[in-house]
């Protein structure tokens, strides 16, 4: 296997993902690191985000809102997507890692993990109604 060459741009993108809990899209990452890396292109941000996700250094999340969100926190955890304000956040709850074993019992293959996104209305949106 060929060693992956260090990239200052990739490192800046990864550091930004680790510094936020907002689950940004590529466009949001681009706008937040543009000052630090003025010559970076949106295409480079997309390529590096996908590289990080493909190498298990970031999570790629699709909530059905037309955007792909990224999360620098790769340990197993669940998410909540508000259908009203479109926010995506981590949800604190007991582990449900055992569902991989349950799913594997009835599946003719190997399940290596899962992604859970709960949908509904967040506290802030409920307050404003």
């Amino acid at each position: 296997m060929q060693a992956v060459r260090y990239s200052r741009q990739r490192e800046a993108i990864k550091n930004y993902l680790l510094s936020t809990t907002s689950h940004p899209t590529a466009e949001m990452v681009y706008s937040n690191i543009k000052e630090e890396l003025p010559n970076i292109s949106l295409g480079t941000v997309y390529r590096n985000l996908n590289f990080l996700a493909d190498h298990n250094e970031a999570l790629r999340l699709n909530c059905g809102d037309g955007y792909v969100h990224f999360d620098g926190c790769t340990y197993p955890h669940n998410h909540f997507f508000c259908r009203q304000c479109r926010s995506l956040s981590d949800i604190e709850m007991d582990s449900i890692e055992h569902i991989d074993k349950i799913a594997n019992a009835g599946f003719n293959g190997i399940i290596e993990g899962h992604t859970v996104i709960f949908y509904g209305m967040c506290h802030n949106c409920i307050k404003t109604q």
Side-chain angles (χ1 to χ4, degrees):
M1 179 190 287
Q2 184 178 1
V4 177
R5 198 174 80 217
Y6 172 81
S7 164
R8 180 172 171 250
Q9 294 170 327
R10 186 178 310 119
E11 191 70 23
I13 291 167
K14 183 177 177 180
N15 287 339
Y16 175 71
L17 285 180
L18 291 170
S19 75
T20 184
T21 59
S22 68
H23 304 85
T25 63
E27 291 81 2
M28 295 162 100
V29 172
Y30 174 73
S31 67
N32 279 285
I33 66 166
K34 186 80 171 130
E35 188 174 313
E36 179 184 345
L37 300 168
N39 295 325
I40 197 166
S41 70
L42 181 57
T44 298
V45 171
Y46 269 105
R47 279 189 298 282
N48 280 287
L49 285 169
N50 285 310
F51 177 92
L52 291 169
D54 291 344
H55 289 83
N56 300 318
E57 295 184 51
L59 298 178
R60 188 182 302 127
L61 303 163
N62 187 337
C63 304
D65 63 346
Y67 298 97
V68 176
H69 300 262
F70 293 89
D71 189 347
C73 177
T74 59
Y75 71 84
H77 64 289
N78 303 300
H79 295 90
F80 176 81
F81 180 75
C82 179
R83 292 191 187 275
Q84 184 144 341
C85 70
R86 317 296 250 176
S87 65
L88 178 63
S89 57
D90 293 338
I91 187 168
E92 298 298 322
M93 60 184 282
D94 291 338
S95 172
I96 57 172
E97 293 305 304
H98 63 281
I99 67 171
D100 290 346
K101 289 180 184 172
I102 295 168
N104 240 338
F107 179 67
N108 190 16
I110 299 173
I111 294 175
E112 297 174 338
H114 63 274
T115 301
V116 175
I117 301 174
F118 294 93
Y119 296 88
M121 193 179 302
C122 71
H123 178 74
N124 290 334
C125 289
I126 291 170
K127 282 192 325 187
T128 60
Q129 285 198 342

